[in-house]
Structures are given as structure tokens and as C-alpha cells.
Amino acid sequence: MSEYNAESIEVLEGLEPVQKRPGMYTDTTCPNHLIAEVVDNSVDEALQKFANKIIINLFADGSVEVDDNGRGMPVDKHPTINKSGVEVILTTLHAGGKFSDKNYQFSGGLHGVGISVVNALSENLQVKIKRDGFLYQMEFNNGDPIDELKKIDKVAVKDTGTIIRFLPNHRYFDSVKYDIKALFHLLKAKAVLCPNLHIIFYDENKDETTEWLYQGDLGDYLKEELTGIETIPEPVFAEQITTENQGLDFALCWDINKQNIITDSYVNLVPTTQGGTHVNGIKTGLIDCIKEFAVLHKLLPKGLKIVADDIWLGLNFVLSVKMAEPQFSGQTKERLTSRQISSFVSSSIKNSFSLWLNKHPQTGTQIAQNIIDNAQNRQKKSQNVVRKKIIAGPKLPGKLADCVATDLNQTELFLVEGDSAGGSTKQARDKDFQAVMPLRGKILNTWEVKSTSVLSSKEVHDIAVAIGMDPDDDDISKLRYGKICILADADSDGLHIATLLCALFVKHFNILVQKGHIFVAMPPLYRIDYGKKVRYALDDDEKNSIMNNIIKKNKNAKISTTRFKGLGEMNPPQLRETTLAPDTRRLVQMSLNNENMTTETLDMLLAKKRADDRKVWLEESGNLAIV
């Protein structure tokens, strides 16, 4: 084994991190996301009213060209890096003009890595810029510039824009074939969400041209997509709400046949295929206003409770949110995690839809009755899948604070590290559907313990009794909660406890992992205060990113940060907002995409015989630890 010293530390520069770990920056299934990144930049110009036309050409050799009539990339020298703006943008991660609101009030390209990722993962990229009466050109191979930016021609002063042509490098993708159907859906959505934006797609392989240009609202689009389907209301309900620093545009209706056909959500015109906090806001807003309407008109049967799933069944919607500084769960931006937008969406939808329901009481009654029917059907079905009562065998653990609901589609059990955190969690929870069971310190390392012996540990025994299943039991009909959530501190000790609990479920309750019942809550490590605003950060990287964005917007901003020592240090409202409330929490589902790799990793971390392997891993990756 080679000696481990400072010389062993590898520093990745420029675009090397992308080329080394492309999956961290893009979807490596196919190159569609590369097109999306380039198109997003052009759409951002359209959002600011600087562009109204985007042309996408797919050539026979697999290269793609995106041509817009926006302002054109900056061609002057960067004051500190001494390179042209074009070269900085295309070769430097986290470089861009969208970190503040000086150039873009709203933008999808926020992280400053999108277009540089396209360059890093392309065999060849050529950029042309029309700006200030000249045509500029620069070319790159595998992310490296071939030469400097140069003028190649004159153009009319009013003729501006950026043309980027790139050829994806097949080494980084499972397939270099584009998903044209998905691409068309994306381009059509961009045109719908940005009225008067003309998008043209030409496929050289088929010699076909497809164009999109919409001038109506989202209601027209949703109605068109649901042609031939009976919906309520008819026509669909659509609304547009704009404030100084955020905007909401949405359309919705329910399919009489209970089908969810269109459930599209966007943030700054970027599709969020996995939803997020803005979509959670729809659920909350609709539940509040429909329950209010049903109670007012005496439609709600006694003892019946409407939940999110009742609203969701048959709901079709298009939701477009515009906001500054959106936070996503990854560079591919598939899920929005910005907490502050949820309350804006829910209150806006509640207010506007409540007003509409009361102006249209006959249709409002029809909508409410449809949702009440959903709730009654769910209640009937849930009688077969209710949380099991303990009628024989060991009693429920004394520390378990149970919930009221019995429907497995709703109930959640939080396994919480320590009595102090358990007490805060009990105060922060919604006792209707959230149960809490505190655990005493680090549980037993069960990775190498036989299932027949694992229940000798009191903590493991209590967990098994609470969830209603024994180790290695494949009969999930005994399960008492639909979601079992691991909740530990965000520091290294908490992560160790979370690892031990993950290992317990992977090793001894594997069926629950396979069926998607195990989750890990992601509490924040930091609270960031500036002015009257509060933000929360999951780790150091997110904290630094948030602080950098604040400083770039206001150099004189007074920022104070608080590092939470543990969950018990957070007051119940903070814990509810950041970790427990379904609208604003971060909850990650445990899955086994590669069970062999998961087993190997946990074995390396927890097996006694793997001490030497663990040492090597710690030496190589110890710098990633949270301290």
C-alpha cells in the first residue's frame, strides 16, 4: 500500500470534476439534459424579454445546435480572470450571471454549472455570438479551448444572439440517442410557459420541422391536453398571481374518471419531474379551501377527514412558479426544495380557488362531493390495511407516542435519536398521522448479528414491536405504519446512528426497504439569518452556497449562522418546518438500486473483519466527514 500524505491528495481543476463524475452533474442515460441546459439559457433570455425565438437543429452526426436571438454571451475580458466572458462561462464551474438579480430576475440556470457541463461532456463545442455589430467564434474539444475568442465577421448592430453547437461524447452516456418524445414535451412546455416565444425544432435525420408558439394561458394548454376527457370544472380553473419577487401561474381540474393525466410542474420554466415544495403547496391550498367550502355548505359527513390523496386522485394540473434563488435537490433540478415557496403557493391557491368556489356554488359542490367520495372510498379500503392493534404478545413500547390515524397510506413513525430530540419531535409532530419513538443513543450494530438473536437488543426489540414485524418476516400485512422514518442529528454522530438503523433495515427488515417503506429525514445543520429572513442549510456546502448568494446580492448584508448541536436544540416550530411538515421537509426514500453495492458498502463500514478496508476508506475519504 502506498504512503498516504499530502502528495496523495488529488485536486480536480476546471471541468475535471464533471468528466470524473458526470452522473453528479447530469442525467447520463442519454444526452437530453445537455440540450435542456443550453435551451434553458436561451429561455432565460426570453423570460427577461430579450429573446423571442429559439431554433434547435438536430444534425445527422448527432450534434445539436441551439440558436437564440437574445443579448449574446459577454465577449469582453473578465476583470479578474483575464479571459473572455465566453471562455469563463464555458470552462469554469459555478461561473455565470445568475447568482444575483442584476441580470436575471428569474432564471432556471442558477448554479452556474449547466453550460460548462455541456462543454465538459462534449467531444466538440462551437459557440458563435452576435453582439455589438460583430460575429464572434470560439471552439472547444473535450472542454478545452482550441483558440481564443475571435471576430470572424460583421453583423447588423441590432442582430444579437448566441449559437451553440455541440457533439456529446459517447463515453459519458449509456446511449447517445436522444429521447425525441421527451425533448418535444420539454420544448412544448417551454413555449406554453413563455407566451410569444417561438421555438423551432429541425430533425435532419427525418427532414422534419416542428414549431411551437403559444399566446394563450395555462388553462388553454391544459384544456387542449385533456381534449375528449370529462372534467370538473369545465372549463378548467386557471389563475396568474404575481408579486414583486415571485410569480405563480397554474391551471387545474379533476378528471371524472379519476385519472391523473397531466401533473406538470415548473420552476422558472425548468421542469421539476419529481415535484417538490411548490407541488406540496397545491395539496395544502386545495385541502384548506375545499374543506372550508364543504363545512360552510354542510357537505362533509361527520367523522370524515379529507387528506392529500383524496385531493390528488384525478387532479390534473400545470403549475409554473417563478422565484429568485430556487433550491433544487440536484443539478438536474428534478425536485424543488425551497421551503419558502410552499406557503406562497398554498395561500395563493387557497385564496383564489376559495373565491371561485363560492362564486360557483353548484360546480363547487360537485368538486367537493367528488373529493368526499374519494375520501369515503379510501376509508373503506383502509379498513383492510389499518395499523394493527397489539392484542397478543408484547405491549407497545412505553416511549412510543402513537398517532390517531390508522390508514397505512397516511401514517408515519419517526425513530428519533435520544430522549431530548424525541421530546421536541413529539411537540413538533402532527399527532393525527405522525408517531414518534425515541431511541437511547447508538443502537446495536446488527450487521453481523443473526436475525434469531437480534431481538436480544432492547432497542431493536422495541422497534420491531412498534412497526409490528419480526426480523426476516416477509408478511407486511402486519406493518403498523406506512412510512418508517429515521431521524437523527445532522452531525457525524447522528449520521453514524442513521447508518446503524439503515443497516438494521437492510439486513433484517429487507422487505420494508424493497417495498419503499423506509425513509431518512434530512434535518438542517445550520440556520442562516440575514435581515428578517431565515434560511436553513443541510451541510457546509449548502451553507456556503446560500451565504455566497446573499453576499453577491448585498455585499453589506449582516449574516449570522447558527450550528445546531442536535435536534433537541431546535424548537418545535423549527423542527416542524424543516423536518416534519410534508410541505417543507426533506425526506429521502431508502431504495436498493444496486443491492450488491449497498451490501458491500455496509459490510465495509460495519463488519469487524473489514477493519483494514475501513482504514483505507477513511484515509481516502476522511476529508468528507462533517466535523
Side-chain angles (χ1 to χ4, degrees):
M1 186 183 300
S2 59
E3 185 179 355
Y4 181 64
N5 50 34
E7 189 178 349
S8 308
I9 299 172
E10 183 179 3
V11 179
L12 300 178
E13 298 180 348
L15 301 178
E16 287 182 285
V18 182
Q19 295 165 338
K20 192 106 173 176
R21 299 283 188 271
M24 293 178 63
Y25 297 87
T26 190
D27 180 1
T28 55
T29 307
C30 73
N32 268 43
H33 188 241
L34 299 190
I35 301 178
E37 288 286 4
V38 183
V39 170
D40 281 349
N41 286 343
S42 298
V43 171
D44 285 342
E45 287 289 289
L47 272 175
Q48 307 304 315
K49 309 299 182 185
F50 294 118
N52 60 11
K53 190 174 185 179
I54 304 172
I55 303 171
I56 301 100
N57 292 307
L58 173 57
F59 296 104
D61 65 354
S63 64
V64 176
E65 182 181 83
V66 180
D67 180 352
D68 70 54
N69 62 347
R71 288 170 291 182
M73 285 185 182
V75 295
D76 54 321
K77 294 280 187 182
H78 192 279
T80 57
I81 302 177
N82 199 31
K83 295 179 181 178
S84 67
V86 175
E87 184 174 350
V88 173
I89 290 170
L90 284 162
T91 62
T92 310
L93 295 178
H94 306 293
K98 302 170 186 176
F99 295 108
S100 70
D101 58 4
K102 294 179 181 178
N103 301 298
Y104 297 88
Q105 183 184 10
F106 306 118
S107 71
L110 175 73
H111 300 154
V113 301
I115 194 66
S116 55
V117 167
V118 177
N119 188 26
L121 303 181
S122 297
E123 286 185 32
N124 178 267
L125 184 145
Q126 185 183 82
V127 57
K128 294 180 180 179
I129 299 103
K130 291 177 283 187
R131 186 167 175 146
D132 305 326
F134 293 98
L135 178 64
Y136 299 82
Q137 180 177 294
M138 192 170 186
E139 193 168 353
F140 303 80
N141 278 342
N142 295 310
D144 297 322
I146 295 176
D147 52 20
E148 292 187 353
L149 181 70
K150 57 187 177 184
K151 294 178 184 177
I152 61 171
D153 204 352
K154 289 185 177 182
V155 296
V157 174
K158 64 179 182 179
D159 191 7
T160 61
T162 301
I163 305 168
I164 292 178
R165 180 170 177 171
F166 64 92
L167 177 65
N169 192 323
H170 65 87
R171 290 192 304 152
Y172 301 115
F173 299 93
D174 299 336
S175 170
V176 290
K177 291 184 178 180
Y178 299 95
D179 185 341
I180 300 299
K181 184 179 179 181
L183 184 59
F184 272 30
H185 179 76
L186 173 72
L187 296 177
K188 181 179 181 181
K190 300 289 187 186
V192 169
L193 297 169
C194 197
N196 300 310
L197 172 61
H198 189 189
I199 298 179
I200 303 169
F201 179 84
Y202 173 70
D203 188 341
E204 188 177 66
N205 296 290
K206 299 180 179 179
D207 192 24
E208 290 180 356
T209 299
T210 308
E211 300 186 38
W212 298 273
L213 175 62
Y214 288 86
Q215 295 171 318
D217 61 16
L218 291 188
D220 295 331
Y221 168 63
L222 185 59
K223 186 177 179 180
E224 178 186 323
E225 291 295 300
L226 297 175
T227 300
I229 295 173
E230 187 179 359
T231 64
I232 49 173
E234 171 60 44
V236 304
F237 177 72
E239 192 74 83
Q240 191 170 21
I241 300 164
T242 305
T243 66
E244 184 179 349
N245 55 7
Q246 50 196 359
L248 170 65
D249 195 0
F250 69 96
L252 60 86
C253 64
W254 282 265
D255 175 14
I256 297 295
N257 295 318
K258 316 289 187 185
Q259 294 185 76
N260 298 83
I261 301 166
I262 304 294
T263 54
D264 294 343
S265 62
Y266 304 85
V267 176
N268 298 350
L269 277 67
V270 174
T272 45
T273 54
Q274 295 181 11
T277 48
H278 56 325
V279 175
N280 292 340
I282 294 180
K283 298 178 185 179
T284 304
L286 289 177
I287 286 175
D288 289 347
C289 70
I290 289 171
K291 282 171 64 176
E292 189 178 87
F293 179 86
V295 169
L296 179 66
H297 292 267
K298 300 179 180 178
L299 301 173
L300 195 64
K302 187 176 181 180
L304 184 69
K305 184 175 181 180
I306 294 173
V307 299
D309 285 350
D310 305 326
I311 297 287
W312 212 244
L313 186 59
L315 177 65
N316 289 270
F317 67 87
V318 183
L319 170 69
S320 176
V321 169
K322 294 177 184 176
M323 61 181 296
E325 300 180 27
Q327 289 181 283
F328 298 95
S329 59
Q331 170 55 22
T332 51
K333 307 184 182 85
E334 294 177 330
R335 182 176 182 82
L336 182 71
T337 59
S338 302
R339 295 187 177 95
Q340 69 273 21
I341 199 65
S342 180
S343 58
F344 169 67
V345 173
S346 62
S347 61
S348 298
I349 287 180
K350 180 189 175 183
N351 293 338
S352 62
F353 199 49
S354 288
L355 185 63
W356 187 90
L357 287 172
N358 287 291
K359 282 185 177 180
H360 304 83
Q362 186 173 349
T363 307
T365 299
Q366 191 180 2
I367 292 170
Q369 191 58 57
N370 177 61
I371 289 162
I372 289 169
D373 290 345
N374 292 345
Q376 289 174 328
N377 290 334
R378 171 184 54 79
Q379 197 173 58
K380 289 177 184 177
K381 290 178 182 178
S382 71
Q383 291 174 0
N384 298 322
V385 291
V386 296
R387 190 170 74 255
K388 302 300 179 183
K389 306 293 184 183
I390 301 295
I391 57 176
K395 293 182 179 180
L396 288 172
K399 289 186 177 182
L400 173 66
D402 215 344
C403 56
V404 176
T406 58
D407 184 353
L408 288 188
N409 294 317
Q410 306 298 322
T411 53
E412 303 174 349
L413 170 64
F414 284 85
L415 302 175
V416 186
E417 168 197 353
D419 290 335
S420 175
S424 295
T425 308
K426 287 175 184 177
Q427 294 180 62
R429 68 173 177 144
D430 184 331
K431 65 180 181 181
D432 282 346
F433 67 96
Q434 291 176 326
V436 177
M437 190 171 81
L439 302 174
R440 183 176 297 174
K442 292 183 173 66
I443 71 162
L444 175 71
N445 178 358
T446 62
W447 188 248
E448 295 181 307
V449 179
K450 293 181 180 180
S451 293
T452 53
S453 306
V454 75
L455 291 178
S456 61
S457 164
K458 184 179 185 306
E459 296 295 333
V460 176
H461 174 269
D462 288 350
I463 291 172
V465 172
I467 66 177
M469 290 181 63
D470 290 330
D472 284 351
D473 188 351
D474 287 341
D475 183 7
I476 63 171
S477 66
K478 302 173 185 177
L479 188 63
R480 302 186 67 249
Y481 303 95
K483 285 189 176 80
I484 299 166
C485 309
I486 298 168
L487 177 53
D489 291 344
D491 59 13
S492 54
D493 280 343
L495 294 177
H496 185 196
I497 292 169
T499 301
L500 291 171
L501 286 167
C502 288
L504 171 68
F505 287 110
V506 170
K507 186 76 172 181
H508 301 287
F509 298 91
N510 192 268
I511 188 67
L512 296 182
V513 181
Q514 291 181 23
K515 297 293 184 180
H517 290 288
I518 307 300
F519 294 79
V520 179
M522 308 292 284
L525 189 61
Y526 295 100
R527 169 181 167 141
I528 303 166
D529 293 85
Y530 62 105
K532 295 182 179 179
K533 296 182 179 180
V534 177
R535 298 282 292 275
Y536 295 94
L538 193 65
D539 51 28
D540 286 301
D541 286 343
E542 189 169 87
K543 180 195 73 171
N544 294 335
S545 176
I546 291 171
M547 291 177 66
N548 287 338
N549 285 333
I550 294 170
I551 292 169
K552 285 179 179 178
K553 290 190 71 173
N554 181 3
K555 292 182 179 179
N556 299 318
K558 294 182 179 179
I559 305 173
S560 64
T561 62
T562 304
R563 189 183 194 278
F564 294 113
K565 294 179 182 178
L567 294 168
E569 194 180 77
M570 300 174 71
N571 60 47
Q574 285 178 329
L575 190 55
R576 181 184 305 115
E577 177 191 359
T578 62
T579 315
L580 295 177
D583 283 357
T584 53
R585 69 188 179 189
R586 299 186 192 185
L587 194 64
V588 179
Q589 187 176 41
M590 189 189 298
S591 60
L592 296 174
N593 296 329
N594 188 330
E595 189 162 2
N596 290 335
M597 183 180 293
T598 301
T599 301
E600 167 61 24
T601 301
L602 287 172
D603 194 66
M604 183 272 295
L605 290 173
L606 300 172
K608 294 177 181 178
K609 60 187 177 183
R610 301 287 298 276
D612 289 341
D613 295 335
R614 240 183 336 271
K615 180 181 178 183
V616 173
W617 178 77
L618 286 169
E619 288 174 343
E620 292 177 348
S621 307
N623 61 308
L624 302 177
I626 297 174
V627 294

